[in-house]
Amino acid sequence: MATSDSTSRTRSHPRTRLDRPSTSLPVLIYWPYLINVVLIHMLAALVLLPALFSWTGLLLCFFGLYLFGTLGINLAFHRLLTHQSLVVPKWLERTLATLAICCLQDSPARWVAIHRQHHQHSDTDADPHSPLVNFIWGHFGWVFLENRVHNKTTNYERYCRDILRDPYYFWCERKLHWFWIYIAHALLFFGVGTLVGWLSSGDYWSGVQWGGSILVWGVFLRTVLVWHITWSVNSIGHLFGYQNYDTKDSSRNNLFCALISNGDGWHNNHHAHQRCAAHGHKWWELDVTYLTIRLLELMGLATKVVRAPL
Ligand SMILES: [Zn+2]
Ligand SMILES: [Zn+2]
């Protein structure tokens, strides 16, 4: 994606209202997304059961936000695959992308395609999820309705041909393999949790209870939290906050969003300089994802890191 050059200044871009994308009409429910999102939210609500609480589950949830959300979604899907802000060895790229797949935000190719489309058409009719339609639409309303361009081969060719050239990402795309990776990692959490609980307590049912705790906290609640963090960048990040750059769209830098997303909430900076590995452009705009990239660079695992313009 091309990097746009914008003049740095603090300004407030005028907002306009948008209608829902014409490609989302007529209204057709996208059942796979609706069922999964509702189901995982319901399963995540099981954390309210005291019997399913464990400190290990809570820690796994917290640590998982960084492991799967920051390393997976931010670093791999967003900065690495979509914007090519850095280069890492192939084994590491695929490992990080697999962490992102464990966030149940669709396949690498489809995630990249939709996000590149968002950048190319930000806050216009062709933007898949502009919150200028309304907040709910920008946050997750767009997920539940069919957008007829997203499944078209021409869309894949236009926005993610480079991703599908990789045999692993192509395999993920076929026969919903990416979805089964998510299911497999959930089963792994449950299985290992049950085994550890069983061995440490000597009681099988205590083991199953502990495995359940690891599953609902470490997988379902974490999945829901990472969803809402990603969606917040799309919704809050185009409505509330300040702009360092005149990007002609409604993208904003939002402190709350930036903190919960570990850096992706500096969204106006990102829209202005899409390929920059750093999304925080001022010294106080903390970007944990970029700090991770710097660490990878120091370890010799990241090269060709695209620098922020000064
Ligand atoms: Zn982006
Ligand atoms: Zn955006």
Side-chain angles (χ1 to χ4, degrees):
M1 303 299 289
T3 300
S4 64
D5 265 320
S6 304
T7 310
S8 179
R9 69 181 99 154
T10 301
R11 65 188 298 282
S12 181
H13 200 274
R15 295 176 196 170
T16 47
R17 282 295 305 268
L18 277 176
D19 290 326
R20 237 179 15 236
S22 49
T23 49
S24 291
L25 296 170
V27 174
L28 290 171
I29 304 289
Y30 196 46
W31 290 105
Y33 275 18
L34 183 65
I35 291 168
N36 271 300
V37 171
V38 171
L39 185 68
I40 301 288
H41 273 81
M42 288 167 68
L43 291 170
L46 294 174
V47 297
L48 297 172
L49 294 176
L52 289 179
F53 177 80
S54 70
W55 288 105
T56 308
L58 182 65
L59 276 175
L60 280 175
C61 178
F62 188 73
F63 181 63
L65 293 179
Y66 176 78
L67 184 69
F68 297 95
T70 301
L71 296 185
I73 298 295
N74 292 8
L75 208 161
F77 271 14
H78 194 197
R79 305 192 195 191
L80 192 51
L81 295 187
T82 306
H83 295 295
Q84 296 158 3
S85 304
L86 66 154
V87 174
V88 300
K90 206 63 180 171
W91 64 266
L92 181 59
E93 181 194 295
R94 289 175 178 170
T95 303
L96 295 172
T98 305
L99 294 175
I101 290 169
C102 295
C103 294
L104 202 59
Q105 294 192 14
D106 219 307
S107 65
R110 198 175 158 102
W111 200 102
V112 167
I114 290 175
H115 191 66
R116 284 177 177 171
Q117 191 183 345
H118 164 66
H119 274 282
Q120 189 175 11
H121 302 286
S122 302
D123 297 316
T124 67
D125 178 71
D127 185 341
H129 46 62
S130 173
L132 297 189
V133 175
N134 60 54
F135 180 87
I136 296 293
W137 174 261
H139 194 71
F140 56 20
W142 67 278
V143 169
F144 302 136
L145 295 190
E146 282 199 32
N147 186 322
R148 64 175 180 270
V149 300
H150 288 165
N151 291 327
K152 283 189 173 172
T153 310
T154 49
N155 214 55
Y156 280 84
E157 283 175 359
R158 187 172 181 187
Y159 289 111
C160 60
R161 195 172 6 176
D162 56 323
I163 305 299
L164 290 174
R165 228 179 269 137
D166 182 297
Y168 175 59
Y169 303 138
F170 186 74
W171 177 84
C172 288
E173 196 66 28
R174 292 185 66 243
K175 299 180 181 175
L176 289 179
H177 284 141
W178 66 272
F179 177 75
W180 296 111
I181 290 175
Y182 177 84
I183 298 294
H185 108 284
L187 290 174
L188 185 68
F189 268 65
F190 178 67
V192 172
T194 300
L195 191 64
V196 171
W198 185 13
L199 292 177
S200 58
S201 69
D203 176 57
Y204 176 71
W205 288 110
S206 296
V208 171
Q209 185 179 356
W210 212 70
S213 171
I214 299 304
L215 182 65
V216 297
W217 284 89
V219 176
F220 297 138
L221 181 64
R222 182 256 302 161
T223 299
V224 166
L225 292 175
V226 174
W227 271 343
H228 284 282
I229 288 168
T230 305
W231 295 338
S232 294
V233 175
N234 295 337
S235 56
I236 296 172
H238 275 257
L239 285 178
F240 308 109
Y242 63 92
Q243 296 183 312
N244 285 335
Y245 302 96
D246 180 6
T247 50
K248 310 298 182 197
D249 54 39
S250 194
S251 60
R252 315 271 160 160
N253 292 330
N254 184 286
L255 177 65
F256 170 72
C257 243
L259 291 179
I260 62 169
S261 68
N262 278 339
D264 273 21
W266 306 119
H267 203 53
N268 173 250
N269 294 345
H270 170 55
H271 268 265
H273 299 283
Q274 296 165 24
R275 288 204 59 208
C276 283
H279 288 195
H281 289 184
K282 296 193 185 297
W283 67 267
W284 51 268
E285 290 172 343
L286 178 67
D287 182 352
V288 173
T289 307
Y290 180 63
L291 293 177
T292 307
I293 291 171
R294 286 286 295 133
L295 185 65
L296 289 177
E297 201 176 22
L298 289 171
M299 293 164 69
L301 287 170
T303 54
K304 298 181 181 173
V305 177
V306 180
R307 300 292 170 200
L310 299 173

